[in-house]
Coordinates of all heavy atoms in Angstrom, one line a residue:
D51 N 2.5 17.8 -4.3 CA 3.6 18.4 -4.9 C 4.2 17.6 -6.1 O 5.4 17.9 -6.5 CB 4.7 18.6 -3.8 CG 5.0 17.4 -3.1 OD1 4.3 16.5 -3.1 OD2 6.1 17.3 -2.4
G52 N 3.3 16.8 -6.7 CA 3.7 16.1 -8.0 C 4.6 14.9 -7.8 O 5.2 14.6 -9.0
G53 N 4.8 14.4 -6.8 CA 5.6 13.2 -6.6 C 4.9 11.9 -6.4 O 3.6 11.9 -6.4
E54 N 5.6 10.8 -6.1 CA 5.0 9.5 -5.9 C 5.4 9.0 -4.6 O 6.6 8.9 -4.3 CB 5.4 8.6 -7.0 CG 4.9 7.2 -7.0 CD 5.5 6.3 -8.1 OE1 6.3 6.9 -8.9 OE2 5.2 5.2 -8.2
I55 N 4.5 8.5 -3.8 CA 4.8 7.9 -2.5 C 3.9 6.7 -2.3 O 3.1 6.4 -3.1 CB 4.6 8.8 -1.3 CG1 3.1 9.3 -1.2 CG2 5.4 10.1 -1.4 CD1 2.8 10.0 0.1
G56 N 4.2 5.9 -1.2 CA 3.5 4.8 -0.9 C 2.0 5.1 -0.6 O 1.8 6.0 0.0
R57 N 1.1 4.2 -1.1 CA -0.3 4.4 -0.9 C -0.6 4.6 0.6 O -1.5 5.3 1.1 CB -1.1 3.3 -1.5 CG -2.6 3.4 -1.4 CD -3.2 4.4 -2.4 NE -4.5 4.8 -2.1 CZ -5.2 5.7 -2.8 NH1 -4.6 6.3 -3.8 NH2 -6.4 6.0 -2.6
A58 N 0.1 3.7 1.5 CA -0.2 3.7 2.9 C 0.1 5.0 3.5 O -0.6 5.6 4.5 CB 0.5 2.6 3.6
Q59 N 1.1 5.8 3.1 CA 1.5 7.0 3.6 C 0.5 8.1 3.2 O 0.2 9.0 4.0 CB 2.9 7.4 3.2 CG 4.0 6.8 4.0 CD 4.0 5.3 3.9 OE1 4.3 4.8 2.8 NE2 3.7 4.5 4.9
A60 N -0.1 8.0 2.0 CA -1.2 8.9 1.6 C -2.4 8.7 2.5 O -3.0 9.7 2.9 CB -1.5 8.7 0.1
A61 N -2.7 7.4 2.8 CA -3.8 7.2 3.7 C -3.6 7.7 5.2 O -4.5 8.2 5.8 CB -4.1 5.7 3.7
Q62 N -2.3 7.5 5.6 CA -1.9 8.1 6.9 C -1.9 9.6 6.9 O -2.4 10.1 7.9 CB -0.5 7.6 7.2 CG -0.4 6.0 7.5 CD 0.9 5.6 7.4 OE1 1.9 6.3 7.1 NE2 1.2 4.2 7.7
A63 N -1.7 10.2 5.8 CA -1.8 11.6 5.8 C -3.3 12.0 5.9 O -3.6 13.1 6.6 CB -1.3 12.2 4.4
A64 N -4.2 11.3 5.3 CA -5.6 11.5 5.5 C -6.0 11.3 6.9 O -6.9 12.1 7.4 CB -6.4 10.5 4.6
A65 N -5.4 10.4 7.6 CA -5.7 10.2 9.0 C -5.3 11.5 9.8 O -5.9 11.8 10.8 CB -5.0 9.0 9.5
C66 N -4.2 12.2 9.3 CA -3.8 13.4 10.0 C -4.6 14.7 9.6 O -4.5 15.7 10.2 CB -2.4 13.7 9.6 SG -1.2 12.5 10.1
G67 N -5.4 14.5 8.5 CA -6.2 15.5 7.9 C -5.4 16.5 7.1 O -5.7 17.7 7.0
I68 N -4.3 16.0 6.5 CA -3.5 16.8 5.7 C -3.3 16.2 4.3 O -3.4 15.0 4.2 CB -2.1 17.0 6.3 CG1 -1.4 15.7 6.7 CG2 -2.2 17.9 7.6 CD1 0.0 15.9 7.3
P69 N -2.9 16.9 3.3 CA -2.6 16.3 2.0 C -1.3 15.6 2.0 O -0.4 15.9 2.7 CB -2.6 17.5 1.0 CG -2.2 18.7 1.9 CD -2.8 18.4 3.2
P70 N -1.2 14.6 1.1 CA 0.1 13.8 1.1 C 1.2 14.6 0.3 O 0.9 15.3 -0.6 CB -0.3 12.5 0.3 CG -1.4 13.0 -0.5 CD -2.2 14.0 0.3
E71 N 2.4 14.4 0.8 CA 3.5 15.0 0.1 C 4.7 14.1 0.1 O 4.8 13.2 0.9 CB 3.9 16.4 0.8 CG 4.1 16.2 2.3 CD 4.5 17.5 2.9 OE1 5.7 18.0 2.7 OE2 3.7 18.2 3.7
T72 N 5.7 14.4 -0.8 CA 6.8 13.5 -1.0 C 7.6 13.3 0.2 O 8.2 12.3 0.4 CB 7.7 14.0 -2.2 OG1 8.0 15.3 -1.9 CG2 6.9 13.9 -3.5
A73 N 7.8 14.3 1.1 CA 8.6 14.1 2.3 C 8.1 13.0 3.2 O 8.9 12.5 4.0 CB 8.6 15.5 3.1
M74 N 6.9 12.6 3.0 CA 6.4 11.6 4.0 C 6.8 10.2 3.6 O 6.6 9.2 4.4 CB 4.8 11.6 3.9 CG 4.2 12.8 4.5 SD 2.4 12.9 4.1 CE 2.0 14.6 4.8
N75 N 7.4 9.9 2.4 CA 8.0 8.7 1.9 C 9.1 9.0 1.0 O 8.9 8.9 -0.2 CB 6.9 7.8 1.4 CG 7.4 6.5 0.9 OD1 6.9 5.9 0.0 ND2 8.5 6.0 1.4
P76 N 10.3 9.4 1.4 CA 11.3 9.8 0.6 C 11.9 8.8 -0.3 O 12.4 9.0 -1.4 CB 12.4 10.4 1.5 CG 12.1 9.7 2.9 CD 10.7 9.6 2.9
I77 N 11.8 7.5 0.1 CA 12.3 6.4 -0.8 C 11.2 5.3 -0.9 O 10.7 4.8 0.0 CB 13.6 5.8 -0.2 CG1 14.7 6.8 0.0 CG2 14.0 4.6 -1.1 CD1 15.9 6.3 0.7
L78 N 10.9 5.2 -2.2 CA 9.9 4.1 -2.6 C 10.5 3.1 -3.5 O 11.0 3.5 -4.6 CB 8.6 4.8 -3.2 CG 7.5 3.8 -3.7 CD1 6.9 3.1 -2.6 CD2 6.5 4.6 -4.4
I79 N 10.5 1.8 -3.2 CA 11.1 0.8 -4.0 C 10.0 0.1 -4.6 O 9.1 -0.5 -4.0 CB 12.0 -0.1 -3.1 CG1 13.1 0.7 -2.4 CG2 12.7 -1.2 -4.0 CD1 13.9 -0.1 -1.5
K80 N 10.0 -0.1 -5.9 CA 9.0 -0.7 -6.7 C 9.5 -1.9 -7.5 O 10.2 -1.6 -8.6 CB 8.3 0.3 -7.6 CG 7.7 1.6 -7.0 CD 6.9 2.4 -7.8 CE 5.6 1.9 -8.1 NZ 4.7 2.9 -8.8
P81 N 9.3 -3.1 -7.1 CA 9.9 -4.3 -7.7 C 9.3 -4.3 -9.2 O 8.2 -4.1 -9.4 CB 9.3 -5.4 -6.9 CG 9.1 -4.8 -5.5 CD 8.6 -3.4 -5.8
T82 N 10.3 -4.6 -10.2 CA 9.9 -4.7 -11.6 C 10.1 -6.0 -12.1 O 9.5 -6.4 -13.2 CB 10.7 -3.7 -12.4 OG1 12.2 -3.9 -12.2 CG2 10.4 -2.2 -12.0
A83 N 10.9 -6.8 -11.5 CA 11.2 -8.2 -11.9 C 11.9 -8.8 -10.8 O 12.2 -8.3 -9.8 CB 12.0 -8.2 -13.2
A84 N 12.3 -10.1 -11.0 CA 13.0 -10.8 -10.0 C 14.3 -10.1 -9.8 O 15.1 -9.9 -10.7 CB 13.3 -12.3 -10.5
H85 N 14.5 -9.7 -8.5 CA 15.8 -9.1 -8.1 C 16.1 -7.8 -8.7 O 17.2 -7.3 -8.6 CB 17.0 -10.0 -8.4 CG 16.8 -11.4 -8.0 ND1 16.6 -11.8 -6.7 CD2 16.8 -12.6 -8.7 CE1 16.4 -13.2 -6.6 NE2 16.5 -13.6 -7.8
R86 N 15.1 -7.1 -9.2 CA 15.2 -5.7 -9.9 C 14.1 -4.8 -9.4 O 12.9 -5.3 -9.2 CB 15.3 -5.7 -11.3 CG 16.4 -6.5 -12.0 CD 17.8 -5.9 -11.7 NE 18.0 -4.6 -12.2 CZ 19.1 -3.9 -12.1 NH1 20.1 -4.3 -11.4 NH2 19.1 -2.7 -12.7
S87 N 14.4 -3.6 -9.1 CA 13.4 -2.6 -8.6 C 13.7 -1.3 -9.1 O 14.9 -0.9 -9.5 CB 13.4 -2.5 -7.1 OG 13.0 -3.8 -6.5
Q88 N 12.6 -0.5 -9.3 CA 12.8 0.9 -9.6 C 12.8 1.7 -8.3 O 12.0 1.3 -7.4 CB 11.6 1.4 -10.4 CG 11.7 3.0 -10.8 CD 10.5 3.4 -11.5 OE1 9.4 3.6 -11.0 NE2 10.7 3.7 -12.9
V89 N 13.8 2.5 -8.1 CA 13.9 3.3 -6.8 C 13.5 4.7 -7.1 O 14.0 5.4 -7.9 CB 15.3 3.2 -6.3 CG1 15.3 4.0 -4.9 CG2 15.7 1.8 -6.0
V90 N 12.4 5.1 -6.3 CA 11.9 6.5 -6.4 C 12.4 7.2 -5.3 O 12.2 6.8 -4.1 CB 10.3 6.5 -6.4 CG1 9.7 7.8 -6.4 CG2 9.8 5.6 -7.6
V91 N 13.1 8.4 -5.5 CA 13.6 9.2 -4.4 C 13.0 10.5 -4.5 O 12.9 11.2 -5.5 CB 15.2 9.3 -4.6 CG1 15.8 10.2 -3.5 CG2 15.8 7.9 -4.5
M92 N 12.4 11.0 -3.3 CA 11.7 12.2 -3.2 C 10.7 12.4 -4.3 O 10.6 13.4 -5.0 CB 12.7 13.4 -3.1 CG 13.5 13.4 -1.9 SD 12.5 13.4 -0.3 CE 11.6 14.9 -0.4
G93 N 10.0 11.3 -4.6 CA 8.8 11.3 -5.4 C 9.1 11.1 -6.9 O 8.2 11.0 -7.7
R94 N 10.4 11.0 -7.3 CA 10.7 10.8 -8.7 C 11.6 9.6 -9.0 O 12.5 9.3 -8.2 CB 11.5 12.0 -9.2 CG 10.6 13.3 -9.2 CD 9.6 13.2 -10.4 NE 8.7 14.4 -10.4 CZ 7.7 14.5 -11.2 NH1 7.5 13.6 -12.2 NH2 6.8 15.5 -11.1
P95 N 11.4 8.9 -10.1 CA 12.3 7.8 -10.3 C 13.8 8.1 -10.4 O 14.0 9.1 -11.1 CB 11.8 7.2 -11.7 CG 10.4 7.8 -11.8 CD 10.4 9.0 -11.1
A96 N 14.6 7.4 -9.7 CA 16.1 7.8 -9.6 C 16.9 6.9 -10.3 O 17.8 7.2 -11.1 CB 16.4 8.0 -8.1
F97 N 16.7 5.5 -10.1 CA 17.5 4.5 -10.7 C 16.8 3.1 -10.6 O 16.0 2.9 -9.7 CB 18.9 4.5 -10.1 CG 19.0 4.3 -8.6 CD1 19.0 3.1 -8.0 CD2 19.0 5.4 -7.8 CE1 19.1 2.9 -6.7 CE2 19.0 5.3 -6.4 CZ 19.1 4.0 -5.8
D98 N 17.3 2.1 -11.4 CA 16.8 0.8 -11.3 C 18.1 0.1 -10.7 O 19.2 0.4 -11.0 CB 16.4 0.2 -12.6 CG 15.2 0.7 -13.1 OD1 14.5 1.5 -12.4 OD2 14.8 0.3 -14.3
T99 N 17.7 -1.0 -9.8 CA 18.8 -1.6 -9.1 C 18.5 -2.9 -8.6 O 17.3 -3.3 -8.5 CB 19.2 -0.7 -7.9 OG1 20.4 -1.2 -7.3 CG2 18.1 -0.6 -6.9
G100 N 19.5 -3.7 -8.2 CA 19.4 -4.9 -7.5 C 19.7 -4.6 -6.0 O 20.1 -3.6 -5.6
A101 N 19.5 -5.7 -5.2 CA 19.6 -5.4 -3.7 C 21.0 -4.9 -3.3 O 21.2 -4.0 -2.5 CB 19.3 -6.7 -3.0

Side-chain angles (χ1 to χ4, degrees):
D51 50 345
E54 178 183 4
I55 64 172
R57 181 82 195 173
Q59 280 62 67
Q62 290 161 356
C66 299
I68 57 176
E71 53 179 287
T72 54
M74 295 171 182
N75 178 205
I77 300 175
L78 176 61
I79 303 172
K80 305 187 77 171
T82 56
H85 312 301
R86 297 294 296 178
S87 296
Q88 180 185 72
V89 180
V90 177
V91 179
M92 291 306 295
R94 293 288 173 179
F97 54 90
D98 288 358
T99 185

